[in-house]
Amino acid sequence: MPRTPALDPLFTAVDAPSFTDRHLATLAAGTLAAVRAPGFLDEAACAAALAAAARLPTADYDPQHVPTPIVRFGPALNDYRGPGGHLQAARYWRDAEAARAAWQQAGMRPDPIAVCLARLGCAWGAAVAAATIAGRPVFGGTLREINAGALVHYDDINREFPAGLFDQEVLAQLAFNVWASVPKTGGASTVWRHRWEPADEQHWQAYGYRRQAVEHCQRVDLTPQLGDALLSNPANFHAVEPNTGRRIAFVFFLGLTTTGQLIAWS
């Protein structure tokens, strides 16, 4: 009879009252699937952030490249990747400055991104700094509303920009999400114990991959609750299932650098 596939006992998702330096280190090392901090933002902070977010100029992704509707605010670096993995700098910096101005005008009080970065810095033992390009800090802290789901995909700044992008050298990348609004049903995030390999390209679809790429892989599923924060390693393939209601999160990436510093970007 066929044997049951062995499971990696370290590929688990844990709940914790707060993030710690060990959580960050084990995620960077790939010996943990995800860490969730329930109630990272309280209900009042979520309500205030959501009210301010309604004043932000949001837009949909280009449906030719992202067929599943996703509403967003703020530029993400991988949306400005040109031929050969080079940053389309003029367009990016224009949009980054516009986003900073809009964020200030929206009057985020308290600022959910600043609160989250400060708490992560406390966990690590040193403040989180903005990633920089030629000394210029990049934009960090975007908003995403994903209700129709997101395809299986991965995020890796070193693969997206193989010639290098930041002044800092990134050893490992983490993804941070905190939910200011959660759906009535659905909307779970799934993380698979699988990282990109060349054979995955046969499953390429739009901006991600068909489920066949991960159908035999170990997985963890996490359903968001209001105010929950989630840290994961986005080099692992991940996806979001469709939902009913509104699933709105503030998101950014963290990078662990060769000097042990944490940097942030979107």
Side-chain angles (χ1 to χ4, degrees), residues 65-76:
H65 297 101
V66 182
T68 49
I70 298 175
V71 176
R72 60 170 178 167
F73 163 78

Side-chain angles (χ1 to χ4, degrees), residues 17-255:
S18 59
F19 297 117
T20 67
D21 57 347
R22 182 166 179 79
H23 290 144
L24 292 159
T26 51
L27 285 168
T31 52
L32 192 63
V35 183
R36 177 171 52 192
F40 193 79
L41 293 182
D42 62 31
E43 191 171 335
C46 289
L50 203 58
R55 299 190 287 273
L56 293 172
T58 57
D60 290 317
Y61 281 93
D62 181 349
Q64 291 187 344
H65 297 101
V66 182
T68 49
I70 298 175
V71 176
R72 60 170 178 167
F73 163 78
L77 282 163
N78 59 13
D79 296 331
Y80 297 81
R81 183 176 48 179
H86 296 287
L87 181 69
Q88 296 174 334
R91 190 166 65 92
Y92 172 75
W93 291 116
R94 179 199 66 202
D95 292 351
E97 291 308 314
R100 285 195 180 97
W103 187 270
Q104 291 296 321
Q105 291 170 8
M108 293 278 181
R109 297 291 184 275
D111 183 326
I113 299 299
V115 169
C116 293
L117 287 172
R119 293 178 67 179
L120 288 164
C122 286
W124 188 242
V128 181
T132 60
I133 300 174
R136 193 172 181 178
V138 303
F139 183 82
T142 58
L143 177 146
R144 295 286 183 274
E145 180 169 355
I146 302 176
N147 299 322
L151 297 179
V152 176
H153 65 287
Y154 74 97
D155 302 285
D156 185 341
I157 196 72
N158 290 324
R159 284 193 176 276
E160 291 158 4
F161 296 93
L165 182 64
F166 300 141
D167 300 330
Q168 305 92 335
E169 196 74 29
V170 174
L171 289 174
Q173 181 173 342
L174 305 181
F176 178 88
N177 291 257
V178 63
W179 283 277
S181 176
V182 292
K184 298 175 182 176
T185 60
S189 297
T190 298
V191 182
W192 285 271
R193 189 183 180 276
H194 179 75
R195 298 193 178 189
W196 182 85
E197 53 190 44
D200 292 327
E201 292 308 295
Q202 66 184 306
H203 303 300
W204 178 257
Q205 177 187 12
Y207 63 89
Y209 299 86
R210 290 182 287 273
R211 292 279 174 141
Q212 290 93 320
V214 291
E215 61 184 346
H216 300 300
C217 299
Q218 185 175 340
R219 60 187 280 177
V220 296
D221 300 294
L222 302 115
T223 301
Q225 301 296 324
L226 186 66
D228 283 3
L230 181 70
L231 269 174
S232 62
N233 190 317
N236 291 315
F237 277 32
H238 53 281
V240 177
E241 71 170 10
N243 59 261
T244 58
R246 302 187 70 189
R247 182 186 187 278
I248 301 174
F250 292 96
V251 303
F252 54 82
F253 291 116
L254 293 172

